Amino acid sequence: MTTETTVTFEVRPTPHPRTIEERQNALAELSFGKVFTDHMARVAWTPERGWYGHRVEAYGPLSLDPATAVLHYAQEIFEGMKAYRHADGSVWTFRPRANAARFAASARRLALPVLSEEEFIASIQSLVATDVEWVPDSPGSSLYLRPFMFAAEAFLGVRPAQHVEYLVIASPSGPYFTSGFNPVSIWVTTEFHRAGPGGTGAAKCGGNYAASLLPQQLAAEHGCSQVCFLDARTESLLEELGGMNVFFIHDDGSVHTPELSGTILEGVTRSSVLQLLADAGRQIHERPLPFSEVQAQIESGKIVEAFACGTAAVVTPIGQFKGVDLDLTVGDGRAGQTTRDLHTQLTDLQYGHAKDTYGWLYQLA
Ligand SMILES: *Cc1c(COP(=O)(O)O)cnc(C)c1O
């Protein structure tokens, strides 16, 4: 459903949009997050004015004072969403209110000002409406949306910034993993943790990602495309990947995923997957998941499927878990049926091929 919002973004069209030919060339060979549309949405905040200057303007570099706080103390949060083109040309996004709520929760944790759900959705709607020609229509493609907020005050003192910027940029993108719907190998790190008790693990902030880059690099050296982190308190419980939640399917059809412990990011895809599986009559177990148990159950064949999920990669089969003295293949190493079905169900909903019985779609244009 489209909801009229009362927040207005003033659209200031760029005097230099790309030509139709330039755009068509850009849309012809899509990768992930490399090409951006002609505009960006933008709002500023100070304690005196609150949020002000809501506008859509030319996409372009930001000019930042070298003392800008975010460059020093990483007071920054972000979201990741997609706009999908349906067969009739209309453009939709998926559960934006969930992203708005998570963005607000992340803002609170990072001592940033909260942007209302209405402003968050209006920012996306205004940008996508302005750059609607940039929403690709090839199979599996989408316009990736990146809302983010950062400390823009030029001040080296350590306290929450008194000048904050919120922006949304958009990138026409193909599938996240270039290998397509093929199982990925995961490196289970016992050396690093993504988050600790009382830390920022449940917030979507750039700092979490910065801390995951070195483990990610080491994983790549072992031929793995993603890292799986264990909890910092007991160093035994499986938590999640750097940017995706994980699920396991047992031979009895039951579904097992780490419970939200405060150190795990609550994925919108995770919650959608849980809903779809529950409605399919599956037994769901959100609980602490010792990696030793997972290992034993993969070895015994009790775990028959493993997958990771998130907005960017949707649902991605996990074929292998590797680590120091660890080399496990899940099932026969290929994508399982539940994983395939979930991928189909979710993408059918998102691309308008299936009826949206959950009311998860939100029309943008
Ligand atoms: C964004 C993110 C996810 C996935 O969340 P979605 O809402 O499904 O895209 C999972 N884990 C981490 C750490 C994330 O940052």
Side-chain angles (χ1 to χ4, degrees):
M1 293 298 272
T2 303
T3 311
E4 283 300 319
T5 54
T6 53
V7 182
T8 324
F9 278 71
E10 183 199 338
V11 179
R12 301 179 188 168
T14 173
H16 307 292
R18 255 90 33 103
T19 63
I20 294 174
E21 199 191 351
E22 283 171 324
R23 190 177 65 231
Q24 281 168 349
N25 288 341
L27 294 182
E29 25 186 298
L30 294 172
S31 54
F32 179 82
K34 283 190 186 156
V35 172
F36 298 91
T37 65
D38 285 326
H39 297 87
M40 59 191 187
R42 192 164 186 179
V43 192
W45 179 92
T46 64
E48 298 75 33
R49 300 186 64 179
W51 289 108
Y52 68 95
H54 303 62
R55 61 189 186 271
V56 170
E57 62 184 27
Y59 182 95
L62 306 174
S63 173
L64 296 180
D65 189 290
T68 301
V70 68
L71 302 177
H72 302 272
Y73 308 126
Q75 193 190 7
E76 188 267 357
I77 57 170
F78 67 94
E79 273 301 323
M81 305 160 71
K82 285 174 170 175
Y84 308 91
R85 182 154 324 257
H86 288 192
D88 66 357
S90 59
V91 177
W92 304 71
T93 193
F94 189 70
R95 305 187 69 184
R97 291 192 175 86
N99 294 90
R102 185 170 69 190
F103 198 57
S106 298
R108 282 185 206 101
R109 180 62 186 85
L110 273 288
L112 285 161
V114 168
L115 187 78
S116 70
E117 175 187 285
E118 202 182 22
E119 286 168 301
F120 181 86
I121 292 178
S123 67
I124 284 156
Q125 189 133 36
S126 306
L127 177 61
V128 172
T130 306
D131 281 337
V132 70
E133 306 293 345
W134 284 91
V135 183
D137 60 6
S138 49
S141 69
S142 60
L143 184 66
Y144 184 79
L145 303 169
R146 171 52 61 86
F148 62 106
M149 188 191 290
F150 65 92
E153 184 181 1
F155 177 58
L156 293 183
V158 181
R159 59 148 171 74
Q162 306 284 292
H163 171 201
V164 170
E165 292 274 341
Y166 165 74
L167 288 92
V168 189
I169 55 175
S171 172
S173 297
Y176 186 75
F177 287 116
T178 41
S179 63
F181 195 67
N182 293 322
V184 294
S185 295
I186 304 288
W187 181 256
V188 182
T189 177
T190 47
E191 200 180 346
F192 301 99
H193 300 286
R194 195 190 75 90
T200 56
K204 208 168 177 73
C205 62
N208 291 343
Y209 279 68
S212 76
L213 296 177
L214 176 61
Q216 178 80 36
Q217 205 172 34
L218 298 175
E221 286 171 15
H222 291 98
C224 293
S225 65
Q226 294 286 315
V227 188
C228 181
F229 293 95
L230 304 179
D231 78 298
R233 195 198 304 264
T234 71
E235 305 201 305
S236 67
L237 303 174
L238 198 154
E239 293 209 309
E240 62 170 320
L241 311 187
M244 280 184 279
N245 298 113
V246 285
F247 281 80
F248 297 92
I249 309 294
H250 283 195
D251 54 3
D252 62 2
S254 62
V255 178
H256 301 254
T257 192
E259 66 182 352
L260 299 173
S261 55
T263 49
I264 292 177
L265 198 287
E266 182 174 5
V268 178
T269 319
R270 175 186 183 278
S271 102
S272 308
V273 160
L274 284 171
Q275 178 90 55
L276 292 173
L277 289 170
D279 290 352
R282 297 293 187 105
Q283 254 198 39
I284 311 277
H285 303 271
E286 288 184 73
R287 60 181 177 90
L289 228 58
F291 186 72
S292 57
E293 179 197 306
V294 168
Q295 178 175 355
Q297 291 177 340
I298 291 175
E299 283 168 348
S300 73
K302 185 159 186 58
I303 288 178
V304 291
E305 293 182 46
F307 64 85
C309 67
T311 298
V314 199
V315 171
T316 298
I318 298 174
Q320 274 157 336
F321 287 93
K322 295 183 184 177
V324 176
D325 299 325
L326 179 80
D327 194 347
L328 290 171
T329 298
V330 184
D332 62 3
R334 296 206 296 249
Q337 199 54 48
T338 304
T339 307
R340 289 179 178 285
D341 289 347
L342 280 168
H343 187 274
T344 306
Q345 258 184 299
L346 268 177
T347 50
D348 277 357
L349 260 170
Q350 291 165 338
Y351 287 94
H353 302 314
K355 195 162 182 289
D356 176 25
T357 50
Y358 295 100
W360 282 344
L361 292 187
Y362 185 97
Q363 189 164 11
L364 294 173

